[in-house]
Amino acid sequence: MPKKANLLIVDDEANTLASLSRAFRLAGHEAAVCDNAGKALDLAKAQSFDLIFSDVVMPGKDGLSLLEDLRAQGVTTPVVMMSGQAHIEMAVKATRLGALDFLEKPISTDRLLLTVENVLKLERLESENRQLKQRLGKHEIIWSGEVMRKVMAQVERVAASESRVCILGETGTGKELVARTLHERSPRAGGPFVTLNCAAVPAELIESELFGHEKGSFTGAAGRHIGKFEQAEHGTIFLDEIGDMPLPMQAKLLRVLEEAEIERIGGDKPIAVDVRVLVATHRNLEGLVREGKFRQDLFHRVYVFPLMLPPLRERRDDIPALVEHFSGQVCAQNGWKPVAFAPAAISALAAYAWPGNVRELRNVVERLMLLATENQVTLETVRAALPAMGGDSEVARSSGGLLADRVQSFERETILAELKRWNFHITNTAKALGLERSHFYKKAEQLGIDIQKQRRDDL
């Protein structure tokens, strides 16, 4: 069913108001009427209209002045001007002021309804365009500095090939985003992009997730299941955290990479697959190979083109652009007015260590916007949201020591501060830092944090 419009008609002639509103209502539209510019401005600010029809010549403030006032007050509703005394100069001025159209009285009903229909079409196209931008924005890599320029040059170089890429980097640096970008800039962009986090799937289920299974192949297999490799046919499969894949599964993955075919659990024949494989890990794969925890032959298969993503603390030049991008996303998702970040707030964010990297920054930006006063994030807002940045912190007091030691100390203090802030609720603490629970535990262990002891000491 076609959308019906909510219209506002402004004219000092009662007959015009009556005839136009009747024509619109007979066509199924809603029409409010007003006989002067002052009342029209108040109505337009208080209600949401799809289109405003306004006469030009009216006693007191005329229609062109109303148009100026509407724009000055931030009302962006499309306006169509009407006049029985039309001339070229008047139409030109109305257009310059932002009028969508200029109609000369008397106006036929067909012309009126066509104008409304065109506005609704334009509104629909603009809405679709905004949604498309939002979808693309979720997968957009934001950068401005030299460090990421070099990374993106490598992305562009390898994207168009069929080469396997191993994306390396700390948790939260955007490995999946880069994998998606490689897919979208490849000849396989029209095919599916399928992901699997190897660390998030239990060892006994990962084979079924990747290769699928036949009905009755094991207890609970009530029907055929198509695995990730088949789902990714003619596209790309992204295996995140491949360093956490169990050794028995590594052998089966190696065969798939060598033979380009899979076999469902319970199946009796191999199935050819045409898939580009991208992998990622936050772990040191070469170290895992030396420790016997990752197969060397699989390592050579997936480590064709290593792509190292820098942690956010090594690309601080990008933080202002990232803050602007994330704040725009948050505003769009919540229907908020833009929230400004004071220069001192941006500088403070750029100085922070960001143990959770870009993912943590995204969460912190949203938190800051919720804490903002008068639509502005200040330095005090940042300090309130990130206690570890306060002047009394251990890192702030530190004036020496190796960089690695100081960064580690800062990360430890940040995690402890977040644990206390969330009353040692692990899920909430990990989310606030932009980490998955498993990675949060690993990071805490690396930093020598005994969570249970800290909880007891804090009681």
Side-chain angles (χ1 to χ4, degrees), residues 11-87:
D11 201 301
D12 61 311
E13 295 182 5
N15 289 339
T16 300
L17 292 176
S19 62
L20 294 186
S21 61
R22 182 174 181 275
F24 288 134
R25 285 168 183 154
L26 286 173
H29 302 299
E30 295 290 331
V33 298
C34 189
D35 62 3
N36 68 75
K39 291 179 183 177
L41 182 60
D42 291 338
L43 273 173
K45 288 163 59 179
Q47 299 181 38
S48 178
F49 294 99
D50 295 301
L51 181 60
I52 298 173
F53 286 89
S54 176
D55 191 19
V56 174
V57 181
M58 295 184 290
K61 188 169 285 190
D62 63 19
L64 296 178
S65 298
L66 170 62
L67 180 55
E68 286 184 285
D69 289 346
L70 288 168
R71 298 300 178 251
Q73 295 288 329
V75 178
T76 58
T77 306
V79 178
V80 172
M81 306 306 299
M82 310 177 293
S83 180
Q85 307 169 32
H87 51 79

Side-chain angles (χ1 to χ4, degrees), residues 143-153 314-315 317-318:
W143 61 278
S144 60
E146 180 63 17
V147 173
M148 281 303 292
R149 185 195 68 78
K150 293 178 180 178
V151 172
M152 293 309 297
E314 293 180 9
R315 46 177 293 212
D317 290 350
D318 296 334

Side-chain angles (χ1 to χ4, degrees), residues 158-159 161-167 175-186 188 193-196 198 229 235-242 253 257 275-281 301-303 305 307:
V158 75
S161 73
E162 286 290 300
S163 299
R164 296 183 187 123
V165 181
C166 182
I167 307 168
K175 296 187 287 294
E176 182 174 343
L177 194 59
V178 169
R180 190 178 292 274
T181 301
L182 287 167
H183 168 72
E184 290 176 348
R185 299 184 185 182
S186 76
R188 295 178 176 268
F193 177 77
V194 178
T195 69
L196 179 75
C198 300
F229 267 91
T236 303
I237 187 169
F238 172 54
L239 303 178
D240 198 3
E241 299 303 351
I242 194 171
L253 175 61
L257 298 183
V275 176
R276 185 186 188 184
V277 178
L278 306 176
V279 303
T281 182
R301 287 287 180 182
V302 299
Y303 206 79
F305 191 92
L307 188 62

Side-chain angles (χ1 to χ4, degrees), residues 80-115:
V80 172
M81 306 306 299
M82 310 177 293
S83 180
Q85 307 169 32
H87 51 79
I88 294 297
E89 291 79 5
M90 184 184 292
V92 170
K93 184 176 181 181
T95 302
R96 286 176 176 169
L97 289 173
L100 183 70
D101 204 349
F102 192 99
L103 305 179
E104 186 175 358
K105 293 180 179 178
I107 311 167
S108 70
T109 300
D110 288 344
R111 179 69 188 277
L112 283 169
L113 297 179
L114 180 61
T115 300

Side-chain angles (χ1 to χ4, degrees), residues 146-343:
E146 180 63 17
V147 173
M148 281 303 292
R149 185 195 68 78
K150 293 178 180 178
V151 172
M152 293 309 297
Q154 289 183 300
V155 169
E156 292 293 343
R157 179 183 294 272
V158 75
S161 73
E162 286 290 300
S163 299
R164 296 183 187 123
V165 181
C166 182
I167 307 168
L168 307 166
E170 295 178 8
T171 299
T173 49
K175 296 187 287 294
E176 182 174 343
L177 194 59
V178 169
R180 190 178 292 274
T181 301
L182 287 167
H183 168 72
E184 290 176 348
R185 299 184 185 182
S186 76
R188 295 178 176 268
F193 177 77
V194 178
T195 69
L196 179 75
N197 186 323
C198 300
V201 181
E204 62 272 15
L205 295 180
I206 193 167
E207 182 178 359
S208 173
E209 281 295 302
L210 282 174
F211 306 146
H213 62 252
E214 298 290 353
K215 180 179 179 180
S217 56
F218 55 85
T219 303
R224 172 183 285 178
H225 170 68
I226 302 301
K228 300 288 187 181
F229 267 91
E230 285 185 83
Q231 293 174 32
E233 182 70 7
H234 302 309
T236 303
I237 187 169
F238 172 54
L239 303 178
D240 198 3
E241 299 303 351
I242 194 171
D244 292 289
M245 180 177 283
L247 276 169
M249 191 64 226
Q250 292 179 27
K252 295 176 180 179
L253 175 61
L254 176 65
R255 180 180 177 279
V256 173
L257 298 183
E258 290 175 339
E259 306 295 336
E261 60 184 29
I262 59 101
E263 191 168 318
R264 300 188 194 124
I265 299 174
D268 56 5
K269 61 180 180 180
I271 301 169
V273 288
D274 174 22
V275 176
R276 185 186 188 184
V277 178
L278 306 176
V279 303
T281 182
H282 74 287
R283 308 180 70 178
N284 182 343
L285 280 187
E286 292 173 289
L288 293 177
V289 170
R290 288 193 296 271
E291 295 170 13
K293 296 178 181 178
F294 197 86
R295 293 180 63 106
Q296 188 168 35
D297 45 9
L298 179 60
F299 172 81
H300 291 310
R301 287 287 180 182
V302 299
Y303 206 79
V304 176
F305 191 92
L307 188 62
M308 174 63 75
L309 300 190
L312 188 53
R313 61 183 174 274
E314 293 180 9
R315 46 177 293 212
R316 298 182 189 275
D317 290 350
D318 296 334
I319 288 177
L322 286 164
V323 170
E324 181 181 359
H325 175 69
F326 291 144
S327 64
Q329 279 189 341
V330 173
C331 286
Q333 289 166 4
N334 293 280
W336 295 347
K337 293 181 179 178
V339 175
F341 281 70

Side-chain angles (χ1 to χ4, degrees), residues 121-137:
K121 285 181 180 178
L122 180 62
E123 182 184 81
R124 184 174 66 252
L125 288 172
E126 289 177 344
S127 175
E128 290 172 355
N129 190 37
R130 285 193 299 271
Q131 292 172 13
L132 178 60
K133 285 183 176 179
Q134 288 174 11
R135 288 198 299 272
L136 292 176

Side-chain angles (χ1 to χ4, degrees), residues 171 197 199-200 359 424-445 451-452 455:
T171 299
N197 186 323
R359 185 183 297 145
F424 291 87
H425 190 289
I426 302 302
T427 300
N428 289 345
T429 303
K431 184 177 180 182
L433 292 172
L435 301 173
E436 295 176 7
R437 278 177 61 100
S438 60
H439 296 151
F440 174 80
Y441 279 118
K442 290 176 185 176
K443 174 62 75 172
E445 183 180 356
I451 297 175
Q452 296 301 328
R455 180 188 285 114

